[in-house]
Amino acid sequence: MSETVSDPHAFKRELLAAIPGIRAFAVSLAGSYDRADDLVQDTILKAWDKQASFTLGTNMKAWLITILRNDFYSKMRKRGREVQDSDGVFTERLAVHPAQHGSLDLDDFRTALAELPEDQREALLLVGASGFSYEETAEICGCAVGTIKSRINRARTRLQERLGIEAESDYGPDAYTAAITLTGAIG
């Protein structure tokens, strides 16, 4: 019957004896000696960290190759989601709108929302923020569906007026910031 690792020297001996075999496998898998050596090093570190889960007398090489193979495919999946940008070409083209505009817009919205009549604010929040249907909102408020629709329409109109929103282009950054960001992304 096999025992878990109790003699660290026995584990170390088996580990060192298996390195040439796992390195050959790593080279065939990675396609280059440098990447293979990195894989072997990572495998040895992981194996050393998890040596308590290894059972002496079982196949050390198979255990190490399993670790190496899993690590290799995890790195390949990760690499498939990453973009190589060592010369910074993609990074230079990235542009982000300043965060303070969103915070200021949210403050303006909260102020405008607080200035709405209570019945309009309540209807707007129940439908817009809480996700209730017009019918459910009418039931909650104890009035007709048409009344709820009217309150929401008036609330939206007042918010647009208070916030100075006339078209979809009024959402997001102002024209000046948008032009700078767009120029940075194109240029």
Side-chain angles (χ1 to χ4, degrees):
M1 180 175 195
S2 301
E3 298 178 13
T4 57
V5 177
S6 57
D7 178 12
H9 298 293
F11 179 82
K12 184 178 178 181
R13 281 191 300 274
E14 284 192 46
L15 180 71
L16 291 174
I19 289 176
I22 67 168
R23 185 171 186 274
F25 179 72
V27 170
S28 68
L29 201 59
S32 79
Y33 290 106
D34 291 338
R35 286 180 53 203
D37 288 342
D38 290 343
L39 272 173
V40 170
Q41 181 178 352
D42 290 345
T43 300
I44 291 169
L45 289 172
K46 288 177 183 179
W48 191 262
D49 186 49
K50 299 293 182 187
Q51 65 182 291
S53 66
F54 180 73
T55 305
L56 282 175
T58 60
N59 191 337
M60 171 69 80
K61 184 176 175 184
W63 185 64
L64 292 172
I65 284 179
T66 300
I67 294 171
L68 185 141
R69 189 175 167 278
N70 290 341
D71 188 38
F72 174 77
Y73 287 118
S74 292
K75 288 177 181 175
M76 290 300 289
R77 282 190 298 274
K78 182 180 177 186
R79 191 173 299 133
R81 295 184 301 264
E82 295 175 345
V83 175
Q84 183 67 28
D85 188 26
S86 53
D87 55 359
V89 171
F90 294 115
T91 305
E92 287 177 4
R93 295 169 65 192
L94 291 177
V96 177
H97 296 294
Q100 70 269 20
H101 291 298
S103 179
L104 294 172
D105 288 344
L106 184 58
D107 288 343
D108 290 344
F109 175 77
R110 285 182 178 148
T111 302
L113 185 65
E115 293 173 356
L116 289 175
E118 188 176 329
D119 61 339
Q120 291 177 15
R121 183 175 55 248
E122 179 183 43
L124 186 65
L125 290 173
L126 285 170
V127 172
S130 299
F132 289 105
S133 68
Y134 289 121
E135 292 77 15
E136 292 168 325
T137 302
E139 189 175 320
I140 291 168
C141 294
C143 61
V145 174
T147 303
I148 293 299
K149 289 180 179 181
S150 177
R151 288 177 184 174
I152 291 172
N153 185 46
R154 287 194 310 266
R156 287 177 179 158
T157 301
R158 284 188 182 186
L159 284 175
Q160 287 175 333
E161 289 169 359
R162 173 71 169 87
L163 297 172
I165 298 171
E166 296 175 9
E168 278 189 44
S169 61
D170 292 335
Y171 293 104
D174 59 66
Y176 179 73
T177 307
I180 291 171
T181 305
L182 183 59
T183 302
I186 295 173

